């Protein structure tokens, strides 16, 4: 076997990677702690929360345009911060343990981004001390990506949940292989090194549930959880949330609506879109 010659600097770097990447299969590895959960499952005599996302991983929300994705992200954010959430999030829990949430909006102007951020504050009744919010619309894709990394590593202590709405604005083209791969590598690096969970948002292709472009394909391959939103075609006030893919135990589908205060709220009854012909006209679904 030919042995390649390495400089001292190269050897040190390879040694660093070896030590960081090595996983001892003989040691017991604990399941990563949960950031957000929905419902519970039983294993033997024990009951465990079903993770939407765990620390050290990332997930993404996929849906067509104008399908209340931002309202759903507000719900997840409020659940994570959870102070005076009341009955908005039946069965959904945040496992924050004092950690902070950082929320980046990449596509809306200041007025609409402020409405989104303010909604979370109103839902939780908490102040802004552990909820960091930024509108990055005016920046180019490279500056957005660089600012997110700068803030997470230099300006916030112990960020537990990071929301990036939406990830397509971190690349110049969702079909650019190099840029898409690089952004996904960033997500994997940030979640590992900061022990956080990242939730990001991407549109689906027209008439399909598949996320757009090569960026969407990379997300499908690397994410812990793919969350699909589906507008109800009969009750247009309802949105169905499905766990499309998961590396763990999938959460059960549920629906949410927007209440009279303009806030997202999980409803008690789930109406299956594919079962439109079986609708019970006597039942109230909201």
């Amino acid at each position: 076997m030919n042995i390649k010659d390495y400089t001292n600097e190269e050897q040190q770097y390879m040694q660093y990677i070896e030590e960081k990447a090595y996983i001892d299969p003989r040691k017991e590895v604990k399941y990563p702690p949960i950031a957000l959960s929905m419902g519970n499952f039983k294993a033997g005599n024990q009951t465990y929360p079903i993770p939407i996302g765990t620390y050290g991983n990332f997930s993404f929300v996929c849906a067509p345009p104008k399908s209340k994705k931002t309202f759903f992200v507000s719900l997840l954010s409020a659940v994570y911060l959870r102070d005076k959430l009341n009955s908005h999030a039946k069965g959904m829990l945040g496992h924050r343990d004092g950690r902070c949430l950082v929320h980046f909006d990449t596509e809306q102007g200041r007025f609409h981004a402020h409405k989104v951020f303010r909604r979370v504050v109103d839902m939780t009744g908490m102040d802004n001390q552990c909820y960091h919010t930024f509108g990055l619309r005016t920046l180019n894709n490279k500056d957005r990506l660089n600012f997110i990394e700068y803030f997470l590593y230099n300006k916030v202590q112990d960020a537990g949940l990071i929301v990036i709405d939406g990830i397509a604005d971190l690349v110049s083209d969702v079909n650019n292989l190099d840029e898409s791969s690089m952004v996904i590598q960033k997500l994997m690096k940030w979640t590992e090194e900061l022990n956080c969970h990242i939730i990001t948002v991407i549109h689906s292709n027209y008439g399909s549930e598949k996320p757009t472009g090569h960026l969407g394909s990379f997300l499908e391959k690397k994410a812990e959880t793919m969350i699909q939103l589906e507008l109800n075609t009969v009750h247009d006030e309802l949105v169905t949330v499905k766990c499309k893919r998961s590396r763990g135990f999938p959460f059960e589908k549920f629906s949410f609506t927007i209440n009279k205060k303009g806030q997202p709220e999980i409803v008690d009854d789930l109406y299956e879109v594919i079962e439109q012909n079986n609708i019970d006209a006597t039942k109230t679904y909201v």
Side-chain angles (χ1 to χ4, degrees):
M1 180 179 68
N2 295 326
I3 300 177
K4 181 180 176 180
D5 290 330
Y6 289 91
T7 65
N8 288 336
E9 184 176 338
E10 289 174 333
Q11 286 182 337
Q12 290 177 359
Y13 184 57
M14 289 298 108
Q15 179 66 29
Y16 165 76
I17 293 178
E18 178 183 348
E19 294 174 357
K20 186 176 181 180
Y22 177 68
I23 298 174
D24 188 346
R26 293 171 292 274
K27 290 186 176 181
E28 180 181 356
V29 179
K30 294 183 179 179
Y31 195 79
I34 294 173
L36 285 163
S37 67
M38 181 68 187
N40 300 288
F41 73 97
K42 285 189 175 182
N45 296 324
Q46 297 293 322
T47 300
Y48 302 94
I50 299 172
I52 294 175
T54 60
Y55 291 114
N57 286 295
F58 71 91
S59 58
F60 73 101
V61 178
C62 180
K66 309 303 179 185
S67 54
K68 298 182 173 63
K69 295 185 297 297
T70 300
F71 278 99
F72 180 64
V73 168
S74 294
L75 177 63
L76 295 176
S77 299
V79 168
Y80 188 73
L81 293 173
R82 198 178 185 97
D83 186 4
K84 299 177 181 177
L85 196 55
N86 299 323
S87 61
H88 288 77
K90 303 175 180 69
M92 188 184 292
L93 291 173
H95 305 263
R96 184 163 71 95
D97 195 26
R99 304 183 73 182
C100 292
L101 190 158
V102 187
H103 194 158
F104 301 99
D105 188 295
T106 65
E107 59 184 35
Q108 298 188 105
R110 292 185 68 89
F111 173 78
H112 290 97
H114 181 270
K115 284 183 66 177
V116 172
F117 302 147
R118 182 68 202 182
R119 183 187 302 138
V120 175
V121 174
D122 290 341
M123 289 174 69
T124 59
M126 66 175 295
D127 60 25
N128 213 25
Q129 296 303 310
C130 211
Y131 181 40
H132 307 278
T133 53
F134 298 93
L136 306 183
R137 182 184 185 184
T138 60
L139 303 178
N140 62 44
N141 61 287
K142 292 182 179 179
D143 286 344
R144 291 185 190 114
L145 187 69
N146 289 335
F147 175 76
I148 290 172
E149 185 166 64
Y150 161 78
F151 189 83
L152 294 180
Y153 280 84
N154 295 281
K155 300 293 287 186
V156 62
Q157 292 184 351
D158 201 17
L161 183 67
I162 292 96
V163 173
I164 303 174
D165 185 5
I167 195 171
D169 293 314
L170 303 187
V171 297
S172 62
D173 181 357
V174 293
N175 283 309
N176 185 305
L177 275 170
D178 291 337
E179 288 187 6
S180 297
S181 176
M182 181 269 294
V183 167
I184 300 304
Q185 290 296 324
K186 287 286 188 182
L187 296 186
M188 293 191 291
K189 175 178 180 289
W190 297 341
T191 51
E192 172 76 17
E193 293 182 352
L194 300 174
N195 189 34
C196 62
H197 188 83
I198 294 177
I199 295 175
T200 192
V201 179
I202 191 169
H203 287 164
S204 58
N205 290 318
Y206 180 77
S208 168
E209 292 186 346
K210 185 173 178 60
T212 54
H214 291 309
L215 179 60
S217 297
F218 281 124
L219 281 169
E220 285 187 292
K221 293 174 183 176
K222 302 298 185 182
E224 178 183 27
T225 309
M226 175 181 175
I227 302 169
Q228 191 80 38
L229 302 189
E230 186 176 52
L231 286 171
N232 194 296
T233 55
V234 175
H235 298 278
D236 57 7
E237 67 272 26
L238 292 182
V239 180
T240 298
V241 182
K242 300 188 294 185
C243 181
K244 187 71 175 177
R245 293 184 180 86
S246 175
R247 296 189 186 277
F249 198 93
F251 62 83
E252 293 185 2
K253 65 179 68 174
F254 61 93
S255 293
F256 73 91
T257 188
I258 309 304
N259 64 24
K260 294 179 180 179
K261 295 181 179 180
Q263 299 171 352
E265 183 175 320
I266 294 176
V267 298
D268 290 320
D269 297 305
L270 170 69
Y271 176 69
E272 293 282 7
V273 177
I274 60 174
E275 296 176 357
Q276 296 173 18
N277 294 331
N278 297 328
I279 182 170
D280 182 352
T282 66
K283 187 174 183 181
T284 302
Y285 291 95
V286 294

